[in-house]
Structures are given as C-alpha cells and as structure tokens.
C-alpha cells in the first residue's frame, strides 16, 4: 500500500475502500467550495459513487496509469491529490488536487505536491509533470508557481462548469528542473 509521510502532521495514502465514507463526507461538506472548479463534484452523490471511483482508481494504480491519494492532516482526511493521465511513451503525467475549506492556507498542498513530484520524478522516472488550474483560481495557480513550474499555455474556455466556461492555465515542470531546485534547496 502506498503511503508517504511528509511531516508530523501531513501524509499521503493510497485511497482505498475503508476511506470511502469519510472521503464522501468531506466531499459532501465541501460542495460549495469545490463546485466552482471541479466538474466531478455534481456526480458524487453517495458513498456508492465514491466506491465506484475508488475501484477505478485502484485499477489505474495497479496498471501504472495513475496514483490517487488522500491527503491526511493530523490523521484526518483533508483532501486528495493525484498523479494521473500518465503517458509512458512521453513519460509525462498531470497532478490534480483539492482540499476541504477547513484545510486551506496551512501550506498542506504545497508540501503534498512537492512530495508527489519527488515520487513522479524519482520513483516513476517521469520526464515531465503538468498542473492545470482555472485562470481565476489564484490559490490553485500559486502552487505550481511556488514550486518552480513554467506557465506553458492557456486553453481558453476549456471546461464548462455551472453554466460558465473556465479558461485553464497549463504549467509544466521537467525532471531536470526539479532536480536542480531540490539540490539548490539542500545546499541552503
């Protein structure tokens, strides 16, 4: 089972069936917070919906297509993070993430994304990782900026959520860029 301890308060763990009820409760209590940017929120209406997604996510993990993790903060489910859409021919993938509203602003997501980048580049030997964020979601856009990603493009009116189109900003980071940043950080 995949787990990564980040610090004394934060860890990642592979999403599994025993987490479905608590994970659904977090999604359900975070609907207003999430529904502006996450199209999938409307389709999750029961624990059964979470169970179906968990089954698919575990299959993707076994087939090395994705890694879907829960973010735990002080032992409580705070959100989720995924390395997904892994393309082995280009050795690339995409990181997606969200936190419940009670867990934002604590530095949790920056540490979680950093840990998943280490996994993607060092353990899976990916060459490139992307993060896509809605143009007006500044909190989400700050994560790749903080971690040294390069803004590579914009996809205008790329997603349609709640009756409006969202423009997505695409950020990319290459393995050698991450390694340089990590070695510079360790020298300080």
């Amino acid at each position: 089972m995949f787990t990564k301890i980040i610090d004394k308060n934060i860890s990642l763990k592979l999403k599994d069936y025993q987490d479905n009820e608590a994970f659904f409760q977090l999604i359900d209590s975070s609907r207003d917070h999430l529904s502006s940017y996450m199209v999938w929120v409307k389709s999750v209406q029961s624990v059964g919906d979470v169970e179906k997604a968990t089954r698919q996510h575990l299959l993707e993990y076994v087939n090395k297509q994705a890694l879907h993790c829960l973010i735990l903060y002080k032992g409580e489910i705070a959100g989720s993070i995924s390395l997904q859409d892994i393309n082995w021919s280009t050795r690339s993938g995409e990181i997606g993430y969200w936190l419940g509203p009670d867990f934002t602003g604590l530095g949790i997501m920056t540490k979680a994304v950093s840990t998943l980048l280490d996994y993607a580049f060092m353990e899976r030997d990916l060459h490139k990782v992307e993060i896509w964020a809605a143009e007006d979601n500044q909190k989400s856009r700050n994560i790749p900026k903080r971690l040294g990603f390069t803004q590579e493009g914009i996809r205008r009116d790329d997603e349609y959520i709640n009756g409006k189109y969202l423009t997505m900003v695409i950020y990319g980071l290459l393995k050698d860029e991450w390694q340089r940043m990590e070695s510079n950080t360790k020298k300080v």
Side-chain angles (χ1 to χ4, degrees):
M1 189 65 89
F2 177 91
T3 58
K4 291 281 184 187
I5 295 172
I6 298 172
D7 64 24
K8 67 181 182 133
N9 293 320
I10 305 167
S11 61
L12 305 180
K13 77 178 276 296
L14 183 68
K15 186 165 70 102
D16 202 356
Y17 292 106
Q18 74 268 13
D19 305 307
N20 287 342
E21 179 68 40
F23 191 53
F24 174 74
Q25 293 305 322
L26 179 64
I27 292 168
D28 202 40
S29 67
S30 303
R31 284 187 191 282
D32 291 341
H33 173 71
L34 297 174
S35 63
S36 296
Y37 301 108
M38 307 286 176
V39 71
W40 55 264
V41 173
K42 285 184 181 178
S43 67
V44 179
Q45 296 298 317
S46 69
V47 175
D49 294 329
V50 174
E51 185 174 315
K52 190 183 332 177
T54 299
R55 188 176 310 113
Q56 178 63 36
H57 292 163
L58 289 171
L59 185 61
E60 290 172 357
Y61 177 67
V62 167
N63 292 323
K64 299 181 180 179
Q65 298 168 321
L67 171 67
H68 300 275
C69 293
L70 298 176
I71 301 169
L72 303 178
Y73 181 70
K74 297 182 178 178
E76 184 178 352
I77 299 173
S80 82
I81 187 167
S82 299
L83 175 62
Q84 56 202 16
D85 299 327
I86 295 174
N87 180 331
W88 289 108
S89 64
T90 60
R91 293 184 18 246
S92 63
E94 181 182 335
I95 291 179
Y97 47 79
W98 66 270
L99 286 172
D102 295 341
F103 301 97
T104 62
L106 302 173
I108 296 169
M109 193 55 76
T110 300
K111 290 179 180 181
V113 172
S114 179
T115 299
L116 205 53
L117 286 169
D118 278 339
Y119 171 79
F121 291 134
M122 303 309 150
E123 294 183 43
R124 286 293 177 207
D125 194 31
L126 294 185
H127 174 69
K128 181 179 181 180
V129 173
E130 291 182 346
I131 292 177
W132 293 39
E135 185 175 47
D136 66 344
N137 188 346
Q138 201 57 54
K139 283 186 177 184
S140 186
R141 291 181 62 192
N142 284 342
I143 303 295
K145 289 178 183 178
R146 198 175 293 128
L147 293 172
F149 280 69
T150 298
Q151 182 178 322
E152 296 184 336
I154 292 180
R155 290 186 56 131
R156 298 177 303 141
D157 291 353
D158 190 62
E159 291 195 19
Y160 189 72
I161 300 176
N162 298 327
K164 68 176 189 168
Y165 286 98
L166 297 180
T167 293
M168 301 302 287
V169 182
I170 303 163
Y171 296 92
L173 184 67
L174 303 178
K175 181 178 183 175
D176 64 332
E177 294 168 336
W178 181 246
Q179 289 174 316
R180 276 195 304 275
M181 284 189 311
E182 286 295 288
S183 70
N184 289 338
T185 303
K186 290 174 184 166
K187 290 178 186 175
V188 176

